[in-house]
Amino acid sequence: MKVNVISRSGREVIKGGLELNDSATVDDLQEAIHKRTKKFYPSRQRLTLPVQQGSKERPVVLSSKKSLKEYTNGNSNDLTVVFKDLGPQVSYRTLFFFEYLGPLIIYPLFYYFPVYRYFGFKDERVIYPVQTFALYYWCFHYFKRIMETFFVHRFSHATSPLSNVFRNCLYYWSFGSYIAYYVNHPLYTPVSDLQMKIGFGFGILCQISNFYCHILLSNLRGADGSGGYQIPRGFLFNIVTCANYTTEIYQWLGFNIATQTIAGYIFLVVAAYIMTNWALAKHRRLKKLFDGKDGRPKYPRRWIILPPFL
């Protein structure tokens, strides 16, 4: 079988194409491209079928485990694929580890060290119980995130663009510094003891629920991330499509009820906006995939992310 590898502009990426066995898979093709180019390792490649010029249809992305014959449209001796360089890649575990490590390290610096002297505050700082509990809550959250990254989550995509490491770290690290600065500030005014207990109590309940949601989602996939899209069921997923995002948002609401800072509420609004967009996209995708036709199950009626609002 001959495979012609071209760019989106029609230029040959591999001069003269590649000769592969008739039983070759997309994985084999990606390895062959890597062997010829050296630079483009498999996770850096995106291979699609050509589309007619002017067509508005989305190109078919080649699935790594499938046989190349499945994409030949009856012509088993010749195949043309369109190659796109996705750029340098890192594993999702690496990405998540570094984005969560920053807040885990940065927040305690504002609690334990006299950093406020560099901002002009010379007096001895009084530490309130709510600030101590906020430190424990914060560190527990991000430690949990890192442990889930290595021992719970199963990723359908092995890698992410390297640029996402810098973007995500900027987001998490800057918000971590912003919130830590105000919660541990020498002029911080604590809320009442009752409000603190209600906020942290509700937040911890949501953190535990969030962990269980991640366990349920992990069980939908194989150890290698295989399994495709499935209807999540059980626990809060019987009510909400994205219960993991719901519990994530509400756990930060609990933190903010207990600490009451503008920085914390800004983070809550931004995070809720981002996760709401993710949830809307996933809800639409699941409803489209599970439409009740041709033997497919019909997606049940559920809230999307924030009952009773959305």
Side-chain angles (χ1 to χ4, degrees):
M1 164 182 273
K2 182 178 180 181
V3 181
N4 302 302
V5 184
I6 62 174
S7 67
R8 287 185 292 179
S9 63
R11 179 182 59 84
E12 272 193 312
V13 176
I14 307 292
K15 295 295 183 182
L18 294 165
E19 292 290 342
L20 298 172
N21 294 329
D22 288 345
S23 60
T25 64
V26 176
D27 272 338
D28 296 327
L29 172 58
Q30 290 182 312
E31 289 293 345
I33 293 173
H34 181 212
K35 187 175 180 180
R36 285 283 296 270
T37 63
K38 306 300 182 185
K39 177 182 178 181
F40 303 122
Y41 45 87
S43 61
R44 188 168 174 165
Q45 303 172 26
R46 181 176 184 263
L47 303 177
T48 61
L49 295 180
V51 295
Q52 292 184 349
Q53 190 172 5
S55 173
K56 294 183 179 180
E57 292 184 6
R58 297 184 66 177
V60 175
V61 180
L62 274 60
S63 177
S64 60
K65 302 301 180 184
K66 285 190 175 183
S67 168
L68 291 174
K69 279 189 174 182
E70 297 184 43
Y71 297 105
T72 56
N73 292 326
N75 182 9
S76 60
N77 296 319
D78 192 36
L79 176 66
T80 299
V81 299
V82 179
F83 169 89
K84 180 182 178 182
D85 175 21
L86 297 176
Q89 303 284 301
V90 296
S91 72
Y92 269 98
R93 286 189 170 87
T94 299
L95 169 67
F96 289 162
F97 173 74
F98 281 107
E99 69 182 36
Y100 299 150
L101 181 65
L104 183 61
I105 293 175
I106 290 171
Y107 194 101
L109 297 179
F110 286 86
Y111 180 87
Y112 285 110
F113 296 97
V115 295
Y116 292 97
R117 291 180 183 177
Y118 300 101
F119 296 98
F121 295 94
K122 306 296 183 182
D123 296 336
E124 194 68 24
R125 180 167 140 252
V126 176
I127 298 178
Y128 297 102
V130 64
Q131 293 171 309
T132 301
F133 288 126
L135 170 72
Y136 296 156
Y137 186 101
W138 182 279
C139 291
F140 173 74
H141 171 76
Y142 282 104
F143 179 76
K144 176 181 80 73
R145 282 285 195 91
I146 291 175
M147 291 298 102
E148 288 173 341
T149 296
F150 288 102
F151 301 109
V152 177
H153 294 319
R154 295 173 179 174
F155 303 100
S156 58
H157 299 287
T159 62
S160 172
L162 177 62
S163 59
N164 286 351
V165 175
F166 303 103
R167 182 197 65 187
N168 291 16
C169 284
L170 177 64
Y171 171 79
Y172 281 100
W173 294 29
S174 59
F175 263 121
S177 302
Y178 184 40
I179 296 170
Y181 174 83
Y182 282 102
V183 174
N184 297 289
H185 199 281
L187 301 180
Y188 175 78
T189 302
V191 300
S192 68
D193 188 59
L194 176 61
Q195 183 173 333
M196 177 190 72
K197 291 178 179 177
I198 291 173
F200 284 137
F202 175 69
I204 287 294
L205 179 63
C206 289
Q207 288 219 47
I208 295 171
S209 299
N210 181 257
F211 173 73
Y212 186 55
C213 287
H214 288 158
I215 293 289
L216 293 176
L217 289 175
S218 177
N219 290 338
L220 294 177
R221 295 188 180 275
D224 61 352
S226 61
Y229 285 104
Q230 299 184 48
I231 300 176
R233 302 182 188 278
F235 191 47
L236 298 177
F237 285 108
N238 292 334
I239 304 170
V240 188
T241 291
C242 295
N244 50 321
Y245 297 152
T246 302
T247 50
E248 179 79 12
I249 291 171
Y250 281 132
Q251 72 182 17
W252 285 118
L253 176 62
F255 177 86
N256 283 299
I257 290 172
T259 56
Q260 290 287 9
T261 64
I262 292 177
Y265 278 111
I266 291 175
F267 175 64
L268 173 63
V269 170
V270 173
Y273 175 77
I274 293 171
M275 285 185 278
T276 297
N277 284 331
W278 292 345
L280 287 168
K282 185 172 183 179
H283 189 77
R284 287 193 294 264
R285 191 180 303 118
L286 289 173
K287 287 188 69 176
K288 183 177 180 180
L289 287 172
F290 301 103
D291 54 8
K293 300 176 181 178
D294 300 325
R296 293 184 294 270
K298 185 171 178 61
Y299 194 74
R301 184 177 177 84
R302 292 175 177 173
W303 297 100
I304 298 174
I305 184 171
L306 283 174
F309 307 109
L310 180 64

